[in-house]
Every structure is written in C-alpha cells, then in structure tokens.
Amino acid sequence: MEPEGADPTAPIEPYRIKVVESIRLPSRAERERALERAGYNLFNLLSEEVYIDLLTDSGTAAMSDRQWAGLMVGDEAYAGSRNFVHFEATVRELTGFPHIIPAHQGRAAEHLLFSQLAKPGDIVPNNMHFDTTQAHVLRAGARPLNLAIPEAYACDDPHPFKGNVDVPKLQQLLESPQGSHVPLVMVTLTNNTGGGQPVSLANLKAVSETCRRFQKPLYLDICRWAENAYLIRERETGQSSRSVREIAREVCDLADGATMSAKKDGLVNMGGFIATRNAGLAARFKEELIVFEGFPTYGGLARRDLEAISIGLQEALMEDYLEHRLGQVRFLAGRLTAHGVPIMQPPGGHGVYLDVTRFLSHLRPPQLPGQALAVELYREGGVRSVEVGAIMFEDVTAPSSNPLELLRLAIPRRVYTESHLRFVADTVCRVWDRRASVRGMRIVEAPEHLRHFTARFAPEPP
Ligand SMILES: *Cc1c(COP(=O)(O)O)cnc(C)c1O
C-alpha cells in the first residue's frame, strides 16, 4: 500500500544494467557486533557490513559503458597525454574557464586555492562551508564565515533556493574594516552542508556584482553544479525553457574560477580540478600542484581517469539522467514525508537530509542525536548514512558554527533502484515509529581536525 501523500511514481531509469555487484543484509547480530567493533562510527564499518550505503554520493557513482571504454583509451604519457587534451577542452567548453588544472579530488583543488589565496587573519565567506573546505581555510590560518540566507537554517521553510548567499550581509562584511581581510568569496553549488540546497542564478548574479564592486575574486565549488543547474531550471522564474548545459555555463560565467570534486557531478570514482581565469594564479597553482599532486597534465590521476571525467561531466549534464537522479531524491523524500518523518524541505539535489532535532526531540545536543540516529538506521536495516551536524561541524570558530543537526542519506549516482529506496524509506519509518527508544551517544576519542572520520563513540547507558 502506498503511504498517503507519497509520490507513487518512482522515476524510470534512463539506462539498463550491464554489470551487477552482489550486496547482502548482515544479520542483526552481525550488525550489532560490527557497530561495537567500529566504535559506533559508521566510517569504520567494512563495506561488506553495509546493505544500502548512503554514506556519501562522492566517488560512489556507477560509470557508464562509455566511461569504461574511455579508460581503455588511456594514454599514460607523463606529459602531454591526449586524455589531458580532451579533458582540458571539455572543461573549458562546459565552464568557459581558460586555465584548467586537474587534481586527484576536490580537497586537493581546495588545497591549491587556499594555500595560494588565504593567509592568517583572513576571512573567507561562503554560503556554507563543506567540511574539507572549512578544514583548508582553517589550515591556511584564515577564518571560515557562513553567510547563507536565514531560511537555510529552518528545515520547514519551503524556500526554493536555501543555498543562496545573504547578499546584504556579504556587502556589509565587504564594506566593513574586515572587508580588507577577505581574499576571495566562495559559493558552494549545491549547498551540501545545508541539505544539498541549490543557489539561484539571480543570487549568483547579485553575489558576482557585489564581488566585482569590491574587487574580490569569486570562486565556486561546482561539485554539484549540474544538479544545481537542473534545480535552477525547475524552480527559478524564467529559466524553464533553457537547457541545463546553458544554465551551468552561465553560472560559471559569473565567477573567476571554481574547484570541483569530479567524484560528484563528474560521475567518476576519483578526480577533480581547479579552474581559473587568472593566468598568474594558474601558474602558482601549477607550481604547488607539481609538489603535491603531480605534473599539470595529470594532477595526481592516471590519464585514463581524465578520460572518464571528460565523458562523465557530459553525461551528468544530460537532461534524462538529471530527471531520474533528482526524481530518486524526491521519491525517497516523498515516502518519508508521507509517514511524517521530518526532513529538510524542500529536498535538495543529492540526498535526503533528516531533521534530527525533531526526529530525536528527546535528546539534547550533547547526546549527539545525529550520530545516535545514524547508528540506529544501521542497526535497523544495515543502511549507512552520515551525521551532518555537531560532530562534523564542531564549533571551531563561532561564525562558522552550524546550528543545523542533520542526517544525510546521500544517494549514489546510477547505483540503487526503486526497491532499494523503498527499503531505505521503510527502515527510516520503522526507526521513526520507535524513536523514543533511541539512546544518545558520547565521544570516547577524537582527533583535532575532521573528527567525524575517525572519532570513536559509545552509547549512553540505558
Ligand atoms: C565532496 C566535497 C568536497 C571535497 O571533495 P573530495 O573529492 O571529497 O575531496 C568539497 N566541497 C563539497 C561541497 C563537497 O561535497
């Protein structure tokens, strides 16, 4: 029986399956043992211990037959590989940025950006910093500042572009004496930390104009720019008749450069790049790249990987692919909402984010409700998710502190089917029905930076 109010129409796959990979639901006893061994941190689970893996949509996509074929035409020359030539031409064409520098993943691109542009005492505004972006800003001695619109922090608010930057606040910052300490402005598309929420074209135009007025470079984190462009077309007035590709290109036209983790909208398992219009800066990025990543025609990747990225970027901008992808997110969100499960509304681009504060309203923040819920979904159905809240974004610097307590169910691209999503929804709904029984957690040990990856936890005594 369909839950009332759920979207009963699951999106139809614009592909058929050529290769399969077996998965299995471990028994309840196996899951309980796995949790104990993992210190109740789902990053410590073995993949085999997980049934449906929604930990991340990063590097988990299924590549197409064309991408796999692309690997076979890898030209593994150290310098001047033909795959680099193709990669550079593709990224130039899609983004319009002239200088394209490959890197092994998104954070490597962030390293290049912030090691060259940020210094101690600087302030880096962003709509919302993602964990690795924040870590690189801090590592450079600068201060991350989140400037998303207030609606971004209200899970129930139906605002269609909760990734938007609060432009008056940005302007205020740049006008103030602190403005001289801002080396660049960043905007993350979509806003992963805030629920995969898109940024509108109108907002990007306003940010771009503000940056130009104060002569600050604008860099975009374009990990999920195809999903962002699709949501612009769908939700923004006047955009419905344009192609996603056209919108994605216009987005880049508004910026001075971009970082990208191709593990998202590049539809590959590894890769990324940084792009810029600034030739002098590109030369500095390349110097740094050679020390940390490799020669500029491979950037820490096998050349065949560059071929897979070139093909993946094109595929990620295809309309039928995006319709299905966003349809999957909406399908899962619909089933949860119909059952009364509180989620970040409206659903964003790459997953469904549970509103932990309302889901486990009997737990207080020190009881780490996001982690408690992640553990419980695994315990209930072998579903792996990730906390995006107090643990991932501890209060390192007050202005970047994140009051949102979310649990992300990230949907890998082209990997799971409608029945998998139904299983996930049923698992979440069963935990929702017995939510009062979910106990809090505490941290047993944790490193200083990016602690969510390696911390160990323990359940509170009953
Ligand atoms: C994943 C991600 C990154 C970092 O990319 P990696 O490839 O994981 O290093 C940066 N920004 C955002 C918004 C991301 O989602």
Side-chain angles (χ1 to χ4, degrees):
M1 197 184 74
E2 290 298 329
E4 201 184 327
D7 179 0
T9 50
I12 294 178
E13 286 75 12
Y15 50 81
R16 56 185 172 185
I17 295 166
K18 200 187 297 253
V19 177
V20 297
E21 180 183 3
S22 296
I23 51 174
R24 152 185 179 271
L25 175 63
S27 70
R28 197 163 272 272
E30 285 174 299
R31 302 200 296 270
E32 204 56 58
R33 276 199 302 276
L35 278 174
E36 272 177 45
R37 199 208 70 245
Y40 298 88
N41 184 340
L42 305 190
F43 280 102
N44 292 334
L45 291 177
L46 296 173
S47 167
E48 280 173 15
E49 292 165 335
V50 176
Y51 185 40
I52 309 289
D53 202 348
L54 307 187
L55 181 71
T56 178
D57 63 320
S58 180
T60 52
M63 290 208 299
S64 67
D65 51 355
R66 291 177 60 243
Q67 286 177 291
W68 282 105
L71 295 184
M72 288 306 296
V73 295
D75 161 12
E76 300 301 335
Y78 189 96
S81 158
R82 68 171 164 261
N83 309 117
F84 173 74
V85 174
H86 183 205
F87 165 80
E88 185 185 45
T90 304
V91 180
R92 272 186 186 156
E93 185 196 330
L94 295 178
T95 66
F97 296 121
H99 305 285
I100 313 297
I101 299 162
H104 80 273
Q105 62 184 106
R107 69 197 70 183
E110 290 171 344
H111 165 77
L112 296 172
L113 182 67
F114 294 111
S115 66
Q116 297 309 308
L117 285 187
K119 60 179 190 312
D122 281 353
I123 300 168
V124 178
N126 201 322
N127 45 353
M128 270 191 220
H129 283 82
F130 181 64
D131 61 350
T132 58
T133 321
Q134 173 165 303
H136 277 291
V137 171
L138 289 170
R139 201 167 176 275
R143 195 156 62 86
L145 181 65
N146 290 346
L147 289 182
I149 53 170
E151 289 90 336
Y153 296 100
C155 285
D156 261 348
D157 195 301
H159 195 291
F161 292 102
K162 286 164 125 173
N164 281 359
V165 175
D166 191 328
V167 178
K169 262 199 186 157
L170 175 65
Q171 190 172 326
Q172 234 173 41
L173 169 73
L174 296 178
E175 279 166 356
S176 77
Q178 290 185 314
S180 60
H181 298 291
V182 174
L184 79 163
V185 174
M186 241 186 134
V187 182
T188 307
L189 314 176
T190 58
N191 175 11
N192 187 2
T193 305
Q197 299 293 319
V199 182
S200 73
L201 201 50
N203 186 256
L204 282 167
K205 281 183 188 161
V207 172
S208 176
E209 277 164 24
T210 306
C211 288
R212 238 174 302 146
R213 192 141 39 88
F214 290 92
Q215 300 186 331
K216 302 291 182 188
L218 171 62
Y219 277 76
L220 304 176
D221 178 332
I222 57 169
C223 288
R224 297 182 181 82
W225 70 316
E227 291 165 6
N228 197 86
Y230 187 86
L231 290 168
I232 285 176
R233 194 192 43 200
E234 199 175 67
R235 297 180 185 175
E236 191 160 350
T237 315
Q239 300 298 322
S240 62
S241 59
R242 301 180 69 194
S243 76
V244 171
R245 239 178 118 117
E246 213 183 329
I247 295 170
R249 172 60 195 261
E250 187 181 350
V251 162
C252 291
D253 288 345
L254 294 168
D256 297 285
T259 56
M260 176 158 202
S261 167
K263 297 167 73 177
K264 283 82 171 216
D265 280 350
L267 285 167
V268 292
N269 305 118
M270 201 45 139
F273 59 83
I274 184 163
T276 180
R277 298 188 199 285
N278 182 329
L281 198 53
R284 281 162 55 199
F285 290 156
K286 284 182 191 172
E287 278 178 36
E288 188 83 354
L289 183 85
I290 289 173
V291 179
F292 284 92
E293 296 277 302
F295 192 71
T297 61
Y298 71 85
L301 293 162
R303 276 55 74 198
R304 56 180 175 270
D305 292 341
L306 294 171
E307 193 62 31
I309 297 173
S310 306
I311 299 166
L313 286 169
Q314 306 262 11
E315 290 181 354
L317 286 162
M318 286 166 86
E319 317 262 332
D320 57 350
Y321 156 77
L322 285 164
E323 185 181 334
H324 171 257
R325 165 128 184 94
L326 280 291
Q328 280 207 322
V329 174
R330 213 160 296 159
F331 177 72
L332 178 58
R335 292 190 77 83
L336 296 176
T337 307
H339 195 78
V341 176
I343 65 168
M344 172 61 87
Q345 297 282 10
H350 64 291
V352 175
Y353 289 59
L354 305 183
D355 177 358
V356 176
T357 309
R358 276 193 295 155
F359 198 118
L360 296 181
S361 55
H362 63 292
L363 298 182
R364 289 169 307 105
Q367 296 174 287
L368 309 176
Q371 190 63 21
L373 189 53
V375 164
E376 210 58 35
L377 294 188
Y378 174 72
R379 182 178 274 137
E380 180 66 32
V383 174
R384 177 153 67 172
S385 55
V386 73
E387 188 255 29
V388 179
I391 299 169
M392 190 182 278
F393 295 97
E394 67 187 304
D395 193 4
V396 273
T397 59
S400 79
S401 72
N402 187 346
L404 284 168
E405 186 68 23
L406 302 170
L407 186 78
R408 185 182 73 183
L409 301 164
I411 302 183
R413 294 169 180 78
R414 305 191 290 210
V415 171
Y416 291 117
T417 64
E418 174 186 342
S419 26
H420 291 128
L421 296 180
R422 283 178 190 273
F423 179 90
V424 170
D426 292 348
T427 301
V428 175
C429 292
R430 280 200 305 278
V431 173
W432 168 253
D433 291 341
R434 62 171 180 80
R435 58 192 178 279
S437 71
V438 177
R439 280 189 279 149
M441 308 284 301
R442 62 188 172 82
I443 293 182
V444 178
E445 58 180 70
E448 194 184 339
H449 292 300
L450 294 172
R451 59 185 185 160
H452 52 290
F453 288 123
T454 53
R456 293 182 74 80
F457 305 91
E460 285 184 336

